[in-house]
Amino acid sequence: MLDQVMETEPAPLSLLEKAAKVLGAFEGAEPRLSLTEVVRRSGIPRSSAHRILDQLVQLRWLDREGRDYRMGMRMLELGALASHHNRLRRAALPLLHALHEQTGQLVHLSVLDGAEVVCLERIGGSEATTVPSRVGGRMPAYSTASGKAILAFSDPDTVERVLAQGLRPRTPRTLVRPLALRSELAATRERGIAHDREESFRGICCVAAPLRGAGRAIAAVSVSSCRGERELARLAPAVLACARAVWRELYGPGRAGRAAGAPPQDQEPAVSARAMDNMMGWLRFSEWM
């Protein structure tokens, strides 16, 4: 009989599950909740709920106004960034599949996070098993074609932050001198295409094009190949065409022809750099990626 009772008892909630229940209490129509209301909605004991609420306020997930709590800026930032990334991936996915079909090679969609690029999508090819990449995986921006494609069309401060963290060799061909990387980024701006000539992994070359209009790059499309540098020249036009098609799918035609400067609010992702840092830092901490 005791064994039957023990089998039916639910396992105790983890701290993460308790925090999720506390945050879930704010799903209703009321923007502000008291501690008592949070306890009633979440089912979490009062003492535990109070500790979790205080921690969430410190982390900016929630704000406190007197005795009431409401969703904080980080929640809004995460929601905006998740919406943007979902939109980017949805717009890109059919075109990434088409690029894979056209080239027969491994295709990636990546964004920049600090000094690293993060893979949002990976479409495998015949050589997919030889390229050690994964969705959510991270690589140094300076050694990847995608990273260089984005850095070439980023603000100077972003490039300086990457250089400040150091350029460590991943292979004998990695660019480890700041002057060499600056020259490579300048060449990328001229041709609109970035290259990885076995700089991240031995035997793997890559070509990437930035997703951009007249301003900064928001992401990059890349194709990887184990067939050497000569393959990059053949793949480059298709990669560039795909990146431009994804941008048009996101923001419509004519964007590239506008003068450089601040874009209209309805045509640029409405996500601040701080929101990007918050989101990526949280993902890195939680090991979702």
Side-chain angles (χ1 to χ4, degrees):
M1 184 69 177
L2 180 59
D3 292 341
Q4 292 178 348
V5 173
M6 293 180 63
E7 288 177 0
T8 58
E9 286 184 352
L13 295 177
S14 68
L15 178 59
L16 182 58
E17 290 172 321
K18 291 178 181 178
K21 284 185 173 291
V22 168
L23 289 174
F26 292 85
E27 293 177 348
E30 296 91 349
R32 297 167 57 169
L33 298 176
S34 67
L35 173 59
T36 300
E37 291 169 326
V38 171
V39 170
R40 178 175 57 83
R41 292 187 177 196
S42 67
I44 302 299
R46 188 180 186 89
S47 59
S48 296
H50 189 261
R51 287 196 302 271
I52 292 171
L53 285 168
D54 283 347
Q55 291 173 346
L56 291 173
V57 168
Q58 292 175 18
L59 294 170
R60 296 177 56 245
W61 288 72
L62 296 176
D63 288 336
R64 184 171 183 175
E65 297 178 350
R67 295 185 177 182
D68 293 339
Y69 300 86
R70 62 179 176 85
M71 286 188 291
M73 283 303 300
R74 182 165 293 192
M75 292 287 286
L76 299 177
E77 291 168 352
L78 294 178
L81 189 57
S83 175
H84 165 54
H85 277 182
N86 286 340
R87 182 186 175 207
L88 172 59
R89 183 180 175 277
R90 284 198 307 269
L93 196 55
L95 296 162
L96 298 178
H97 278 289
L99 180 61
H100 164 59
E101 292 294 328
Q102 180 181 355
T103 63
Q105 304 298 322
L106 179 63
V107 176
H108 292 96
L109 174 68
S110 305
V111 295
L112 185 68
D113 172 34
E116 299 174 311
V117 285
V118 181
C119 177
L120 293 186
E121 188 56 72
R122 181 184 194 272
I123 310 298
S126 58
E127 299 170 340
T129 57
T130 64
V131 180
S133 63
R134 62 182 177 84
V135 173
R138 293 171 173 270
M139 289 290 295
Y142 64 86
S143 68
T144 63
S146 291
K148 288 187 282 188
I150 300 173
L151 288 174
F153 297 97
S154 297
D155 60 273
D157 289 342
T158 299
V159 177
E160 291 304 319
R161 284 195 294 269
V162 171
L163 294 174
Q165 294 194 26
L167 308 179
R168 299 173 181 81
R170 293 183 57 85
T171 74
R173 305 194 67 176
T174 305
L175 300 179
V176 294
R177 292 185 297 111
L179 181 59
L181 180 60
R182 292 182 192 276
S183 297
E184 180 73 6
L185 296 181
T188 297
R189 284 190 292 273
E190 290 181 5
R191 62 182 177 241
I193 286 287
H195 293 156
D196 166 5
R197 303 175 179 88
E198 299 186 51
E199 297 163 50
S200 292
F201 302 102
R202 291 176 182 266
I204 299 174
C205 294
C206 185
V207 59
L211 266 63
R212 62 180 293 269
R216 66 181 179 87
I218 64 169
V221 173
S222 65
V223 168
S224 301
S225 174
C226 300
R227 300 177 185 175
E229 292 185 43
R230 291 186 179 180
E231 186 74 356
L232 299 182
R234 185 183 73 84
L235 297 173
V239 175
L240 185 59
C242 179
R244 289 173 175 171
V246 173
W247 183 267
R248 287 195 300 270
E249 186 69 21
L250 282 168
Y251 304 117
R255 170 90 173 95
R258 296 191 181 95
Q265 289 299 316
D266 61 342
Q267 291 184 321
E268 192 71 41
V271 182
S272 67
R274 184 175 181 180
M276 177 72 78
D277 292 342
N278 285 341
M279 174 63 166
M280 291 302 185
W282 179 78
L283 286 172
R284 189 160 45 236
F285 173 77
S286 65
E287 297 185 349
W288 279 25
M289 304 199 82

